[in-house]
Amino acid sequence: MKDIIIAYPVKETAMQLRSLLENEGFHVSHVCARGSSVLSIAQNLNEGVVVCASILSDMGAGVLAENLPFGFDIVALSKNGIPEYMGNLVSLPLPVNKAEFLQTVAVLVSTRSSFTKRNADDSEIISKAKLILMKTSDMGEIAAHKYLQQESMKKGKKITGIAKEIINDFTE
């Protein structure tokens, strides 16, 4: 079973999440408040699940997801009210549905996510597509990645498949 890292800017909320997860039999190995702390902790673990706020004091959950090592998934609790599933990031709306939250964490903790099995070739394809988007659509890297994730969700395809479509469209 994967370790769980909780990253929440409000200590009381972080401790409530820890208590909820531990009462359900999950192992919470770390609690912190910043994305940079999560990245530092993740370097010493093989895999894990991060439960966090959608926006931390030093970065958003999307940026955190991009920078985590392979083998990590994120459950971000978001105030925008829209559940989203993209890459290695699952966003659940606040107020969170306890059963949905626990089920999501259980699935991510007990399985090796296909999203985190991205190999070097896939990462290269995604990077190339982001560069194309940045040059042709006047986007920054984060906006380009977010666009790929949104298209992935909308079309029900892996982000690598969306990236390949963009590269093919650009080279035609």
Side-chain angles (χ1 to χ4, degrees):
M1 196 180 293
K2 297 178 186 177
D3 284 308
I4 297 174
I5 302 168
I6 296 174
Y8 223 84
V10 179
K11 185 176 182 178
E12 181 180 311
T13 304
M15 299 316 283
Q16 288 172 343
L17 286 168
R18 178 183 201 155
S19 177
L20 171 66
L21 291 168
E22 288 180 341
N23 287 340
E24 293 294 323
F26 296 106
H27 173 67
V28 176
S29 62
H30 298 83
V31 177
C32 55
R34 300 173 48 89
S36 56
S37 298
V38 172
L39 294 173
S40 177
I41 292 164
Q43 296 303 318
N44 297 316
L45 300 173
N46 292 325
E47 58 186 6
V49 174
V50 178
V51 174
C52 66
S54 61
I55 299 175
L56 299 165
S57 63
D58 57 348
M59 67 184 72
V63 173
L64 180 59
E66 287 180 2
N67 289 291
L68 279 169
F70 294 128
F72 283 83
D73 292 302
I74 294 181
V75 177
L77 305 178
S78 172
K79 292 180 182 178
N80 73 7
I82 302 169
E84 297 178 292
Y85 307 90
M86 49 191 162
N88 62 335
L89 172 65
V90 175
S91 182
L92 298 177
L94 289 172
V96 71
N97 176 304
K98 181 179 172 183
E100 181 183 11
F101 170 70
L102 291 171
Q103 180 182 12
T104 301
V105 171
V107 168
L108 294 175
V109 166
S110 63
T111 61
R112 180 139 187 105
S113 171
S114 62
F115 301 122
T116 60
K117 291 182 182 176
R118 191 178 296 153
N119 61 34
D121 291 337
D122 289 348
S123 293
E124 188 175 320
I125 290 166
I126 293 167
S127 293
K128 188 173 181 178
K130 285 196 289 189
L131 284 173
I132 290 169
L133 289 169
M134 290 164 61
K135 288 179 182 176
T136 61
S137 302
D138 195 34
M139 293 181 186
E141 184 177 1
I142 292 172
H145 190 81
K146 186 176 255 186
Y147 174 82
L148 289 171
Q149 290 175 325
Q150 289 171 338
E151 288 298 302
S152 172
M153 283 179 14
K154 194 182 326 177
K155 294 181 179 179
K157 295 181 178 179
K158 286 189 171 192
I159 196 169
T160 306
I162 300 298
K164 287 178 182 176
E165 289 176 7
I166 290 169
I167 293 167
N168 289 339
D169 290 347
F170 183 74
T171 56
E172 288 179 351

